[in-house]
Amino acid sequence: MRLHLYLFTLLNVLLFYSNGVNAQDNTAKTYYQPLQDVFQTELVYPQEKGEIQLTLNPEYGRTRDLNHISFPVLAEYGITDNWQLGFSWNSFQNNFGGNNMSVSGIGDIEFDTQYSFMNIGETNFHAALGFELEIPLSREERGIGEGRYEYMPYSLFAVDFPSLNNIQFFTQAGFSFSQNKTENDEEEGNELFLSGGLFVPVKKVIFDIELTSIINLWENGNENQLYLTPGIILNLPGAWETGLGTSIGLNKESDKYLVLAILTFEFNLMKEGD
């Protein structure tokens, strides 16, 4: 299974490099970007060269066993108009619920990079390749974070429909894996991540809906968390953006629900007046 996943990633890299890069070099950017982010799925949009995006993503959720509140913070920086670097940190998390348990502290950090291919072949089709590295700052026994290094290569695809008020269909496919083992010498943490949906801009308001599946590869695909996430995002004056969504578990393996918020601000170090 692991060999197949590595080959899947390699084939994606070769496909994009051979077909996407040349198209990107010869195509002017004509895409319309009504928003920065949605709630569960990465989007193909890159940060412009010199552009910094700062995001706060507070969330409140209910799992099968307990509740949690967390405050992830994110930063993204555009190296070029197509290549960006990112950093995120779960700055505070509080788990509480069963047996009067309450645990709080800082969570893990994550570094990521993404390269986007926009308007491939002078069409409204876009794609991107990305890679995420999660570094643990807390032990798993404390109940905060995964307690292990995790890696996730992923691919993004999107298509715009300018004649339909710039509706976009988007999708993300990736897999996360780690080298850690349990006390019973069993590997854990290897998951296939599939997510996608569409957003509909209506002036300064964007309506979003996403369907997300997280499949445990070491359970032969039998453990599948499935979530439906509707949300709404609002463009505010002065390069600000905010939004609110609710992720609803659709099967018994899923957490019950997760309420997600977004607050984003961006500016460009290379443009005066931004």
Side-chain angles (χ1 to χ4, degrees):
M1 173 64 74
R2 179 176 297 177
L3 176 60
H4 292 165
L5 293 174
Y6 281 126
L7 290 176
F8 169 78
T9 304
L10 178 60
L11 288 173
N12 271 280
V13 172
L14 294 176
L15 174 64
F16 282 129
Y17 188 81
S18 60
N19 296 318
V21 172
N22 291 334
Q24 182 64 39
D25 289 342
N26 299 320
T27 304
K29 290 187 175 181
T30 60
Y31 62 89
Y32 171 66
Q33 181 177 351
L35 78 172
Q36 299 297 327
D37 293 298
V38 291
F39 298 96
Q40 296 281 42
T41 316
E42 296 289 341
L43 296 181
V44 294
Y45 299 124
Q47 298 298 120
E48 295 180 2
K49 183 177 181 179
E51 187 175 67
I52 295 177
Q53 177 181 315
L54 303 176
T55 305
L56 176 64
N57 280 141
E59 59 183 51
Y60 171 80
R62 171 68 179 174
T63 69
R64 285 168 286 182
D65 303 316
L66 48 80
N67 300 320
H68 82 272
I69 298 174
S70 60
F71 294 88
V73 293
L74 302 88
E76 296 175 351
Y77 176 73
I79 302 297
T80 71
D81 284 341
N82 301 95
W83 178 31
Q84 70 177 40
L85 299 178
F87 167 81
S88 65
W89 175 40
N90 193 351
S91 61
F92 176 79
Q93 181 171 327
N94 183 24
N95 298 336
F96 58 96
N99 299 322
N100 294 319
M101 184 196 76
S102 179
V103 179
S104 62
I106 61 173
D108 300 337
I109 62 173
E110 181 181 289
F111 296 93
D112 65 87
T113 183
Q114 180 176 309
Y115 194 95
S116 300
F117 306 89
M118 307 300 291
N119 299 118
I120 296 176
E122 300 185 4
T123 69
N124 293 314
F125 178 73
H126 319 294
L129 287 174
F131 184 84
E132 297 178 355
L133 167 63
E134 185 172 320
I135 300 175
L137 294 184
S138 180
R139 293 181 301 173
E140 187 177 13
E141 304 86 75
R142 291 194 61 224
I144 298 176
E146 298 297 332
R148 58 179 179 262
Y149 288 83
E150 292 192 353
Y151 318 86
M152 189 175 83
Y154 62 85
S155 302
L156 308 177
F157 304 92
V159 58
D160 295 328
F161 293 89
S163 61
L164 298 176
N165 207 38
N166 291 297
I167 290 174
Q168 182 183 101
F169 287 88
F170 53 86
T171 186
Q172 177 181 4
F175 63 93
S176 64
F177 57 96
S178 69
Q179 302 301 322
N180 288 33
K181 295 185 178 182
T182 65
E183 294 180 356
N184 297 323
D185 204 37
E186 296 179 352
E187 293 186 271
E188 61 175 14
N190 296 49
E191 297 175 330
L192 179 64
F193 180 86
L194 301 171
S195 190
L198 78 157
F199 62 72
V200 182
V202 180
K203 295 183 178 180
K204 296 293 184 180
V205 179
I206 300 96
F207 298 95
D208 166 61
I209 188 165
E210 302 164 67
L211 183 64
T212 303
S213 176
I214 305 172
I215 303 170
N216 189 326
L217 299 177
W218 296 111
E219 296 291 338
N220 296 318
N222 294 326
E223 184 176 316
N224 178 15
Q225 299 179 48
L226 191 63
Y227 299 95
L228 181 68
T229 308
I232 185 170
I233 298 165
L234 177 63
N235 286 318
L236 302 175
W240 288 89
E241 185 176 285
T242 189
L244 185 66
T246 302
S247 186
I248 305 165
L250 299 180
N251 58 9
K252 64 180 181 179
E253 289 85 13
S254 306
D255 296 337
K256 291 186 176 181
Y257 64 85
L258 184 66
V259 179
L260 303 131
I262 294 177
L263 180 63
T264 297
F265 177 73
E266 66 174 8
F267 57 95
N268 198 310
L269 297 176
M270 298 185 177
K271 293 183 180 180
E272 296 182 2
D274 282 3

